[in-house]
Amino acid sequence: MVFTLLVLTGISARAGEVAVHWGYDGHGAPAQWAMLSPEYAECAQGTRQSPVDLPVSAGTDVAVEPPARMEVFHHEHALDIANNGHTVAVTYDDGDQLIVGDTVYRLEQYHFHAPSEHTIGGEHFPLELHLVHRSRDGRLAVLGVMLEHGLHNARYDAVVNHLPPAPGAKTHMEHVNIDIDALLPASRSAFSYVGSLTTPPCTEGVRWLVLRTPVGIDKGQITQLAEVLHHNSRPTQALHGRRLSATGLEAIDAP
Ligand SMILES: [Zn+2]
């Protein structure tokens, strides 16, 4: 059973908070973020910011790390797809996990950017998927996946066909079969680095894993996503001496 429900809630700040209107153009554009609120200072002053430009191939200065592991639940989910005015975010009822080194991060939500935020060899892709994971002690790990023009990809239909068009709108679906690893490309080599949130407050210390191979979706699917997202991509940031690691991702069935 699939049903939708439209919830109209304002995207302005809750009572007691100062409404700060950040966005991607005009007065709230990325270059202005740090000026909008003292809490956003890191957007300008940080030296470990995201996104970054990634190389086409791993050079000799790139360290090689063991692959991260992703534990995937293969059963029906309840899905909430929310348009928060900045992106379209999908939340799940139960948690797939990402394990990087000794740290276990639980999947909280995934969302999209158009065009891609990370670039590869200076090139943008039409879209980038971010799977946001959080550890028990509050650290974040984000898996980035580039989306490019390709064949129709039915694995994206559950989300693409139920995009809430207006800010504040939400779609709720029950009993959806969706496997996270089905959203990923077959090749799982990745670059890893320590960066930040790509939206205010640009908090640093985020473990990034960006898959190097894009996944294809068709032109209609790209258009549907891009029309709802508008342009929600922060420009690439300087590495400031940070080193990238070459790694990979192994998807396993959750126990
Ligand atoms: Zn993102």
Side-chain angles (χ1 to χ4, degrees):
M1 183 183 61
V2 173
F3 60 93
T4 59
L5 132 107
L6 197 66
V7 188
L8 291 170
T9 54
I11 56 159
S12 53
R14 276 158 265 152
E17 291 176 5
V18 180
V20 179
H21 296 286
W22 64 269
Y24 294 93
D25 49 30
H27 294 302
Q32 315 294 325
W33 287 351
M35 270 92 89
L36 298 175
S37 164
E39 288 169 20
Y40 299 171
E42 222 165 354
C43 300
Q45 290 165 14
T47 55
R48 295 189 304 162
Q49 290 288 295
S50 294
V52 298
D53 180 44
L54 299 168
V56 174
S57 54
T60 47
D61 58 334
V62 171
V64 178
E65 306 280 350
R69 285 189 304 141
M70 177 180 258
E71 288 185 356
V72 183
F73 280 91
H74 295 273
H75 58 70
E76 291 182 336
H77 294 271
L79 217 63
D80 277 309
I81 310 177
N83 182 334
N84 64 16
H86 300 299
T87 187
V88 170
V90 182
T91 50
Y92 270 76
D93 54 349
D94 50 4
D96 297 49
Q97 298 191 136
L98 181 69
I99 301 147
V100 186
D102 296 332
T103 310
V104 178
Y105 302 87
R106 199 166 185 269
L107 179 64
E108 285 197 334
Q109 53 105 321
Y110 66 82
H111 61 265
F112 298 88
H113 297 269
S116 69
E117 297 204 297
H118 289 89
T119 52
I120 298 182
E123 298 289 330
H124 284 278
F125 290 81
L127 294 156
E128 184 172 342
L129 166 65
H130 285 163
L131 297 124
V132 181
H133 302 75
R134 191 184 297 270
S135 70
R136 210 178 271 257
D137 61 0
R139 284 176 289 161
L140 291 172
V142 185
L143 176 64
V145 183
M146 302 297 176
L147 276 70
E148 67 171 359
H149 288 275
L151 299 175
H152 184 80
N153 189 334
R155 293 157 163 186
Y156 277 80
D157 279 346
V159 174
V160 171
N161 293 340
H162 298 95
L163 292 170
K170 197 183 212 181
T171 308
H172 179 78
M173 291 184 288
E174 297 276 350
H175 311 300
V176 183
N177 275 307
I178 191 162
D179 289 337
I180 282 298
D181 62 339
L183 301 177
L184 309 182
S187 170
R188 306 277 168 88
S189 69
F191 279 121
S192 174
Y193 75 97
V194 178
S196 73
L197 299 178
T198 66
T199 55
C202 306
T203 312
E204 296 188 338
V206 176
R207 167 59 59 182
W208 278 93
L209 250 75
V210 182
L211 295 183
R212 296 170 58 186
T213 306
V215 65
I217 64 174
D218 74 17
K219 203 176 168 204
Q221 293 177 305
I222 289 175
T223 304
Q224 276 175 279
L225 277 161
E227 275 178 0
V228 172
L229 298 167
H230 306 293
H231 173 102
N232 65 339
S233 179
R234 186 190 195 195
T236 53
Q237 306 291 307
L239 275 172
H240 291 293
R242 279 174 291 173
R243 302 280 292 271
L244 305 172
S245 303
T247 184
L249 181 70
E250 288 172 355
I252 53 171
D253 291 352

